[in-house]
Amino acid sequence: MSDTLAATAAITGDTMRTRCDRLTEIRVQDPGAIQRAADARAKAPLVPADGKLMIIACDHPARGANAVGKRPLAMGNRVDLLDRLVTALSRPGVDGLLGSPDIIEDLLLLGALENKVVFGSMNRGGLAGSVFELDDRFTGYDARGIADMGLNGGKTLTRIALDDPGTVDTLQATATAVNELAERGLAAMVEPFWSSRVNGKVRNDLSADAVIKSVGVASALGRTTAHTWMKLPVVPDMERVMDSTVLPTLLLGGDPETTPEETFATWRHALTLPSVRGLVVGRTLLYPADDDVAAAVDTAAGMVR
């Protein structure tokens, strides 16, 4: 059985439903195909020649966060999600993927990660809405797994909540991840938020002051920052935020709450700031209001370059 399904699917015109059925068959009959596909994959350097990155993000379901706008389980249909991801990754100007292990392995077998930058998501234990959400355990990739799979680096979600004791464990685990990735020459993409519980729910403070404080804490994690990148939200007064760090920064998209035009306008402005090197966007591009994934991705990629 072939390690990837891309060539066969192109010849036979298989639907994504059929291709996903064959993914299951490979996992049953030949699970070693996943590692062989990882070893054989054509790798891309972390940073393209122009120093810009356009990354598609898909690690939300691993934390129980399947909602997009008013669709509570939009990301719960794996066949549909993979179809959208394959489309997004095929568009010009898209450099790669940030994903959880299951998503990355599916896309490896589908042949969608050739010559792509790939980041593995590391801590997914802080399930959305749980009482332990801010004790965000590292239940996904570790540095060894990222290296073994030939990925470019790992991503951590590092929420800082002064009223929750789980924060200190998350900070310590993030520092360990930064150290272990750096030892292997791999990038650590740290996504910090200044957070708190409001009426029992975790809320991220998206004021410029709060983001600046989170950057200061996250930037100092680990014994070296030589391989650390920031992943930051686009907030009002973004110039002040970017003055708080010289670490290379990618902008996150989040769950869209404004019109596409308003969202794209804020990204376009933030991308002009010197430390900003691109976008890491998931739901906004994978589930646009008109469901035209290709058009949404093309618009974002055009802004990056």
Side-chain angles (χ1 to χ4, degrees):
M1 183 176 291
S2 170
D3 288 347
T4 66
L5 307 180
T8 302
I11 293 170
T12 64
D14 287 347
T15 65
M16 184 54 72
R17 172 72 271 174
T18 301
R19 296 170 77 185
C20 285
D21 290 343
R22 294 171 61 210
L23 281 178
T24 303
E25 193 64 21
I26 287 177
R27 289 177 175 276
V28 171
Q29 300 293 341
D30 187 16
I34 292 171
Q35 187 63 55
R36 295 198 304 275
D39 293 341
R41 180 177 72 90
K43 314 298 194 293
L46 173 64
V47 184
D50 64 1
K52 303 289 186 179
L53 280 170
M54 174 67 210
I55 303 294
I56 302 298
C58 188
D59 59 350
H60 316 80
R63 208 173 59 80
N66 291 291
V68 181
K70 296 181 180 179
R71 293 177 280 183
L73 281 174
M75 303 188 80
N77 185 320
R78 184 54 59 96
V79 176
D80 178 62
L81 176 56
L82 289 174
D83 198 24
R84 291 169 185 267
L85 283 166
V86 169
T87 297
L89 289 165
S90 72
R91 304 307 299 171
V94 173
D95 296 293
L97 175 82
L98 159 64
S100 51
D102 55 325
I103 292 286
I104 287 175
E105 290 174 357
D106 285 346
L107 291 169
L108 269 173
L109 292 173
L110 289 168
L113 297 181
E114 296 301 305
N115 295 299
K116 297 297 185 185
V117 175
V118 185
F119 284 90
S121 191
M122 303 181 78
N123 58 322
R124 299 282 85 189
L127 301 185
S130 68
V131 296
F132 52 85
E133 184 170 350
L134 288 163
D135 185 358
D136 204 347
R137 305 296 177 92
F138 280 59
T139 57
Y141 279 111
D142 57 14
R144 186 184 73 178
I146 288 167
D148 288 347
M149 293 296 284
L151 310 185
N152 299 85
K155 172 254 183 178
T156 74
L157 174 60
T158 306
R159 291 172 293 185
I160 303 157
L162 302 184
D163 58 355
D164 194 299
T167 290
V168 70
D169 288 332
T170 301
L171 290 174
Q172 184 175 41
T174 300
T176 298
V178 169
N179 291 339
E180 293 180 350
L181 289 166
E183 288 167 359
R184 294 165 171 83
L186 298 170
M189 184 194 298
V190 181
E191 179 183 6
F193 288 101
W194 205 263
S195 306
S196 62
R197 288 190 180 272
V198 179
N199 297 324
K201 294 184 178 181
V202 175
R203 293 286 183 262
N204 299 322
D205 187 339
L206 297 182
S207 67
D209 287 357
V211 177
I212 288 168
K213 286 194 293 184
S214 74
V215 168
V217 173
S219 297
L221 296 173
R223 68 173 68 97
T224 177
T225 59
H227 298 277
T228 300
W229 289 54
M230 290 284 106
K231 179 175 181 247
L232 299 178
V234 180
V235 300
D237 209 359
M238 200 64 188
E239 290 86 354
R240 285 182 57 227
V241 171
M242 294 317 304
D243 281 345
S244 71
T245 183
V246 296
L247 294 177
T249 297
L250 300 174
L251 306 175
L252 64 92
D255 190 2
E257 297 181 354
T258 59
T259 67
E261 294 76 18
E262 290 172 313
T263 300
F264 291 146
T266 61
W267 294 354
R268 187 176 290 109
H269 171 69
L271 283 164
T272 66
L273 302 173
S275 296
V276 176
R277 293 308 172 107
L279 295 172
V280 183
V281 183
R283 291 169 287 187
T284 303
L285 301 182
L286 293 172
Y287 296 88
D290 61 1
D291 270 337
D292 190 342
V293 175
V297 171
D298 289 350
T299 298
M303 283 190 257
V304 171
R305 295 184 167 88

